[in-house]
Amino acid sequence: MNLHSHVMMPAIKVIARCGYVAKGVVYLIVGSLATLAATGLGGNNVGTKEAINHLAGQPFGSVMLALLGIGLLGYAVWRAVQALLDTEHLGHGLRGLATRLGFLISGGIYAGLALYCANLLRNAVTGSTSTTDRTAELMSHPGGMLLVLAIGIGFAGVGLRQVWRAIKRSYLKNWHMIEMSEAQQRLAEAATRWGLCARGAVFLIIGGFLVVAAIQTNPSQAQGLGGALNVLARQPFGPWLLGLVALGLMAYAIYCFVNARFRDVSR
């Protein structure tokens, strides 16, 4: 490791850990509101931007919003570092490049959420654009339907990968297991497997609706995170399904917090 890497790594570690905390906070809010909706105690099925809006409306909302925005920007930077510097040693093969591209896309999404936080702080947001509106905008351009189809397939692929990671327990190689007690390991594993499966199911639903929207040339078919949770709620045994996935998203938040504390961010 050269001198430049020695100087950069402490900063990258702090950025990555703050980023995981911020991401966990967003999913904790989404999961909590969906859990309240499933149990009939209030709350709504919301997406990430709506979750940020909810946080902004709380006491000391501006302070929390600023911290969240900084954390989300940190997560975006960490994803960019993973992609561009190949910290996971994925290589230049097709699979490695696809995974690294996924890191970049993920970073772009969370950079957008960080910008959304900044705009809220400046009172510059007059209303959030819906998934349907964004899909319609994409479809209006040449090749837009193919792009929406590709994005839908990408979401479905990420969903399948999340479930596969839960089955294979591939996340274990990223944790400093020696620093965790046996009880912490059991809790982290249980939360992670549940959380990855729940997030995977939601991403599969989002991807499926985007694919349908592209095939039918109908952007109104597209659904975001909140829409996917609403779809679950409308199924037979909907409240139970919604509750299971909502608690799973809260478990995914715990997974993010575990990463913030125990993940090896030097690779």
Side-chain angles (χ1 to χ4, degrees), residues 3 8 39 115 135 142-143 149 163 182 186 195 197 211 246-247 262:
L3 179 61
M8 287 296 294
T39 55
L115 179 61
T135 305
L149 179 63
V163 175
E182 187 175 336
R186 285 199 301 268
C197 286
V211 168
L247 289 173
F262 295 108

Side-chain angles (χ1 to χ4, degrees), residues 172 175-189 258 261-262:
L172 290 176
W175 291 346
H176 289 297
M177 299 293 289
I178 196 171
E179 297 180 7
M180 304 169 70
S181 68
E182 187 175 336
Q184 287 175 326
Q185 289 179 25
R186 285 199 301 268
L187 174 61
E189 272 237 70
V258 171
R261 172 61 181 86
F262 295 108

Side-chain angles (χ1 to χ4, degrees), residues 200-216:
V202 169
F203 271 50
L204 279 168
I205 294 171
I206 294 172
F209 275 104
L210 285 170
V211 168
V212 170
I215 292 173
Q216 295 184 356

Side-chain angles (χ1 to χ4, degrees), residues 38-255:
T39 55
L41 297 176
N44 295 293
N45 296 321
V46 302
T48 50
K49 286 187 176 179
E50 292 87 352
I52 291 171
N53 287 337
H54 181 81
L55 182 66
Q58 304 307 306
F60 305 103
S62 295
V63 174
M64 291 190 289
L65 199 60
L67 292 174
L68 183 66
I70 292 170
L72 290 172
L73 182 60
Y75 187 79
V77 170
W78 165 238
R79 282 308 204 191
V81 168
Q82 284 181 298
L84 300 177
L85 300 186
D86 193 17
T87 59
E88 306 285 331
H89 307 297
L90 297 167
H92 294 86
L94 183 60
R95 182 178 178 182
L97 288 174
T99 303
R100 291 167 69 182
L101 177 61
F103 289 157
L104 271 182
I105 293 172
S106 174
I109 291 171
Y110 285 97
L113 289 177
L115 179 61
Y116 185 75
C117 290
N119 286 335
L120 278 178
L121 286 170
R122 295 201 313 264
N123 296 316
V125 174
T126 57
S128 64
T129 306
S130 70
T131 302
T132 296
D133 292 337
R134 290 192 295 270
T135 305
E137 173 66 21
L138 282 176
M139 285 185 173
S140 68
H141 298 292
M145 284 182 292
L146 288 177
L147 181 57
V148 171
L149 179 63
I151 292 172
I153 293 172
F155 264 100
V158 171
L160 289 173
R161 183 172 180 270
Q162 299 279 282
V163 175
W164 184 245
R165 289 182 66 212
I167 294 171
K168 296 291 289 183
R169 302 165 70 204
S170 60
Y171 47 83
L172 290 176
K173 70 179 186 293
N174 294 324
W175 291 346
H176 289 297
M177 299 293 289
I178 196 171
E179 297 180 7
M180 304 169 70
S181 68
E182 187 175 336
Q184 287 175 326
Q185 289 179 25
R186 285 199 301 268
L187 174 61
E189 272 237 70
T192 296
R193 299 185 85 174
W194 189 358
L196 287 173
C197 286
R199 190 170 185 251
V202 169
F203 271 50
L204 279 168
I205 294 171
I206 294 172
F209 275 104
L210 285 170
V211 168
V212 170
I215 292 173
Q216 295 184 356
T217 324
N218 182 4
S220 67
Q221 293 286 347
Q223 300 288 343
L225 176 56
L229 294 174
N230 282 328
V231 168
L232 285 172
R234 291 195 296 267
Q235 304 309 306
F237 305 103
W240 292 97
L241 279 174
L242 177 60
L244 190 65
V245 172
L247 289 173
L249 293 178
M250 295 175 69
Y252 185 81
I254 294 174
Y255 164 63

